[in-house]
Amino acid sequence: IINSVVLLILLSALTDPDQYHLTSAELGGEFEFMDDANMCIATAISLLMILICAMATYGAYKQHAAWIIPFFCYQIFDFALNTLVAISVLVYPSTIQDYLRQLPANFPYKEEIMSVNPTCLVVIILLFISIILAFKGYLISCVWNCYRYINGRNNSDVLVYITTNDTAV
């Protein structure tokens, strides 16, 4: 659903670029926020994500385990990227302050965030990222359990034990 909303926003920005164009003065820097090539790439990624999510949903519904694998791989990749973000925040804590300085002047609560002790800010961000990583890990285990369940259900090598009063086969 989130990917669909992002796709709608991107498509509306592609159809009317003047509505979503931000000047470098508004951004507080010397760079272009989103040009047409980046918009097309973001649209393609959004379409791909919708396709992967639809494949996972279809695979779970029709009990085709192979259709779930692309979504599982995406989740592992996303978890790895978020872990790298957490490691970079831990290794280079000064990048947070640099990032905050690059934000536009009219960014909400920018001054309040900048006034927070840098060590406390790193701890808060790491705590937030840790919560997100724990949730993503839980979702990865859910998808993996779904895959294993469907795989086991469709597997013909399942042993069946029949017990009677005298023997077990």
Side-chain angles (χ1 to χ4, degrees):
I1 294 173
I2 293 172
N3 288 317
S4 300
V5 170
V6 169
L7 180 65
L8 287 174
I9 292 170
L10 288 169
L11 289 176
S12 65
L14 277 174
T15 57
D16 188 15
D18 293 331
Q19 180 182 356
Y20 294 95
H21 181 74
L22 297 175
T23 64
S24 59
E26 291 173 316
L27 293 171
E30 298 293 327
F31 56 91
E32 192 69 28
F33 181 67
M34 203 52 129
D35 59 359
D36 286 341
N38 288 339
M39 293 288 264
C40 289
I41 291 170
T43 303
I45 290 172
S46 185
L47 282 171
L48 183 64
M49 289 309 308
I50 290 171
L51 177 68
I52 289 173
C53 292
M55 285 174 59
T57 304
Y58 177 79
Y61 178 71
K62 292 291 188 174
Q63 296 191 358
H64 297 298
W67 287 69
I68 298 174
I69 295 297
F71 185 71
F72 181 73
C73 292
Y74 159 72
Q75 282 188 310
I76 295 294
F77 180 72
D78 186 46
F79 186 84
L81 284 180
N82 282 289
T83 303
L84 288 174
V85 168
I87 291 170
S88 70
V89 166
L90 190 61
V91 173
Y92 300 110
S94 62
T95 57
I96 296 171
Q97 295 294 328
D98 295 338
Y99 177 74
L100 289 173
R101 279 189 216 99
Q102 292 176 2
L103 290 174
N106 59 354
F107 189 82
Y109 305 109
K110 178 183 176 183
E111 295 303 321
E112 289 84 358
I113 296 171
M114 291 282 291
S115 66
V116 173
N117 182 3
T119 306
C120 184
L121 189 61
V122 168
V123 170
I124 291 170
I125 290 174
L126 283 175
L127 180 67
F128 182 71
I129 292 173
S130 299
I131 291 169
I132 290 173
L133 284 175
F135 183 67
K136 286 179 185 276
Y138 170 74
L139 292 178
I140 287 171
S141 72
C142 289
V143 172
W144 180 249
N145 287 335
C146 178
Y147 172 78
R148 281 189 14 217
Y149 173 77
I150 292 172
N151 234 9
R153 199 171 154 90
N154 294 336
N155 197 349
S156 63
D157 296 337
V158 176
L159 296 175
V160 178
Y161 291 96
I162 302 171
T163 60
T164 63
N165 292 339
D166 297 337
T167 61
V169 179

